Amino acid sequence: MAYTQARVRILPSVRCLFDKLVQIKVEGLVPHKPVKLRSKLVDDRGIVFKASALYKADNKGQVDVCSAPSLGGSYTGVEPMGLLWAMAPVIPHTKLLKKNVLTPTVVEVEALSEETGEVLASETNERGYMTEGMQRIPLQEGKLRGVLFIPPGKGPFPGIIDLYTLGGGLTEPRASLLASKGFVVLALAFYRYQGLPKNPQNWDLEYFEEALTYLKARPEVEGPGIGIISISLSGALALAMSSFLPGIIATVVINGCNANTVIPLHYKDVVIPPLEPIIKNVKITKSGLLDIRDALPDPALEKNRASLIPVERSSCQFLFAASEDDHNWNSAFFAKQAAEILRKNGKESFQLVTYPKAGHFLEIPYMPYCQSGFHAAVGREVVFGGEPKAHCDAQLDLWERVQQFFSTHLGNK
């Protein structure tokens, strides 16, 4: 009854892009015996993320995670990628951080005897961000800071600006993976990064205009228009760019707000004040975390209207994606309101998709779900909402929609 033959196989290859599905199989087990599968990765900060699941070997002594159900652990049922999306941080309230996309995220998968706890076999899955031949060009032109990703092959390609913020800095995984689909993507930093202001006093739209001009002028970029993808705080910045700056033809807003927030937004002689939160609407969860979902008031009310981004001025296509269980703020309410303002102004130039049980950070597929974390604007840990499985499904669905949306409106060879 020895397990000496046990091995873990990751198909079609142990190396793949982060957004790709793999098939995890364990062979050489004792037929019909329980086996525990365990996954682990260490992020760029050194924080460990883990998941585990209990399976039963079939009559051939095999477990195929794509068809066999998990009987317990971090998830249950048939979940081909459960060992990835169900990973949780060992240190609570931590979001997986991947700063350097030049190296893959390494996921270790182990099979253990349920009876003895002995490790029977293991394998690693290297989940990368850059395709062969892709260029990653750090950007320092004038005030501009960011990273440009250029896909391999003969261009020109459609151009996209990726606005992603999590307390400043730069986040590159989404931009690099989007570039792997045949787009030139500029991951644009706008605070707390390489000499940019640490605590800006206002959002300066001229800076974003400069980035737009720069990207359009790149020889690898096919005109005439540019796309934007944003999430959370940067959603309002994407809406402002689309409303004030010419040359933007397709904008994705993921769990954003249709009003300006945090600090004033400036463009030429226009100043859009931030929507002021109502502090008494902040709740505290049973576990002691802040729930800020209802902190922001309705921006369409007369007294708040100055904070609204004038989306009716825009001439681009929009994809609004909103999680109905987002607890960072009521993003589904804001998305529906932005769509309604467009509609009232005779514009049907939008798609609106909502995800019932998803939380705030809708990321690239298989990114572990972030239930709670430190909120830069609040200065404390907050709850982000959602349920892991529904959140994972939403990420998969949205990733396909984003690619389809940009291919349709920007054109893509």
Side-chain angles (χ1 to χ4, degrees):
M1 295 289 279
Y3 282 107
T4 49
Q5 306 306 312
R7 67 170 184 150
V8 176
R9 295 178 68 198
I10 294 173
L11 305 165
S13 167
V14 293
R15 289 188 187 86
C16 63
L17 285 177
F18 195 95
D19 63 341
K20 291 290 181 244
L21 175 86
V22 288
Q23 182 184 19
I24 299 170
K25 285 181 87 167
V26 190
E27 298 168 346
L29 300 167
V30 178
H32 311 296
K33 279 273 183 169
V35 61
K36 186 177 183 181
L37 298 191
R38 199 163 65 182
S39 58
K40 176 184 154 186
L41 68 80
V42 183
D43 84 353
D44 287 4
R45 266 177 308 202
I47 290 170
V48 174
F49 287 72
K50 287 180 173 176
S52 66
L54 183 65
Y55 287 91
K56 189 177 170 188
D58 65 13
N59 56 7
K60 293 181 182 160
Q62 296 182 358
V63 169
D64 181 347
V65 174
C66 286
S67 55
S70 161
L71 306 171
S74 304
Y75 60 93
T76 54
V78 178
E79 294 293 341
M81 295 295 280
L83 287 169
L84 230 85
W85 62 252
M87 281 186 166
V90 172
I91 297 171
H93 321 309
T94 313
K95 188 173 182 305
L96 194 148
L97 188 75
K98 184 61 183 159
K99 284 286 187 197
N100 178 15
V101 295
L102 296 172
T103 61
T105 291
V106 178
V107 180
E108 187 181 341
V109 179
E110 292 179 326
L112 300 90
S113 161
E114 172 62 9
E115 291 164 356
T116 65
E118 175 201 356
V119 176
L120 310 172
S122 69
E123 182 59 280
T124 53
N125 180 201
E126 293 183 19
R127 305 187 67 80
Y129 301 87
M130 308 259 299
T131 46
E132 189 77 33
M134 189 191 287
Q135 294 178 68
R136 178 190 175 277
I137 303 169
L139 172 62
Q140 286 191 321
E141 295 252 337
K143 288 186 212 149
L144 290 183
R145 295 291 179 271
V147 171
L148 189 69
F149 293 96
I150 300 171
K154 189 168 163 30
F157 305 96
I160 296 169
I161 294 175
D162 185 324
L163 300 176
Y164 192 116
T165 175
L166 186 64
L170 197 64
T171 305
E172 300 177 28
R174 181 172 71 182
S176 54
L177 286 168
L178 207 45
S180 76
K181 314 298 179 197
F183 302 97
V184 172
V185 185
L186 169 57
L188 184 66
F190 48 98
Y191 72 115
R192 288 192 192 167
Y193 184 80
Q194 294 186 355
L196 291 173
K198 275 202 168 55
N199 297 299
Q201 299 308 298
N202 53 64
W203 306 123
D204 177 7
L205 210 57
E206 269 96 349
Y207 174 81
F208 298 89
E209 186 170 38
E210 205 178 308
L212 183 64
T213 305
Y214 166 82
L215 188 60
K216 281 167 82 170
R218 289 287 312 197
E220 305 90 346
V221 174
E222 169 181 72
I226 296 294
I228 305 178
I229 184 167
S230 61
I231 185 170
S232 193
L233 172 78
S234 65
L237 296 170
L239 291 177
M241 290 173 74
S242 308
S243 304
F244 290 104
L245 310 179
I248 293 161
I249 55 178
T251 299
V252 176
V253 178
I254 302 167
N255 287 336
C257 180
N258 60 324
N260 180 40
T261 58
V262 189
I263 54 177
L265 190 148
H266 289 211
Y267 183 59
K268 295 180 177 165
D269 53 359
V270 177
V271 178
I272 300 179
L275 187 61
E276 292 296 339
I278 300 169
I279 302 305
K280 71 174 193 314
N281 288 356
V282 175
K283 300 181 183 78
I284 294 179
T285 66
K286 283 183 187 141
S287 57
L289 295 171
L290 291 187
D291 183 345
I292 59 172
R293 177 182 170 90
D294 300 319
L296 287 185
D298 181 348
L301 295 177
E302 191 57 52
K303 61 181 179 184
N304 301 326
R305 214 166 274 172
S307 300
L308 270 176
I309 307 293
V311 288
E312 65 278 4
R313 295 180 47 142
S314 66
S315 56
C316 71
Q317 294 286 331
F318 289 103
L319 170 59
F320 296 106
S323 299
E324 288 177 17
D325 197 40
D326 185 350
H327 278 254
N328 181 74
W329 48 29
N330 194 342
S331 52
F333 176 85
F334 298 137
K336 287 169 186 169
Q337 191 172 79
E340 192 49 40
I341 290 169
L342 287 168
R343 190 180 279 124
K344 276 186 181 154
N345 284 272
K347 298 184 174 181
E348 294 289 339
S349 51
F350 61 87
Q351 299 170 38
L352 171 64
V353 57
T354 59
Y355 297 105
K357 292 177 183 172
H360 184 58
F361 285 109
L362 286 179
E363 300 269 4
I364 53 178
Y366 314 122
M367 183 64 81
Y369 154 74
C370 176
Q371 188 174 14
S372 55
F374 181 79
H375 193 294
V378 180
R380 280 194 41 197
E381 268 88 22
V382 305
V383 59
F384 287 127
E387 295 173 12
K389 162 81 175 124
H391 192 87
C392 164
D393 291 346
Q395 289 184 158
L396 267 174
D397 181 81
L398 180 58
W399 188 234
E400 290 305 316
R401 282 177 194 266
V402 163
Q403 293 170 57
Q404 186 62 51
F405 176 77
F406 283 135
S407 295
T408 301
H409 298 296
L410 297 177
N412 181 338
K413 293 177 182 157

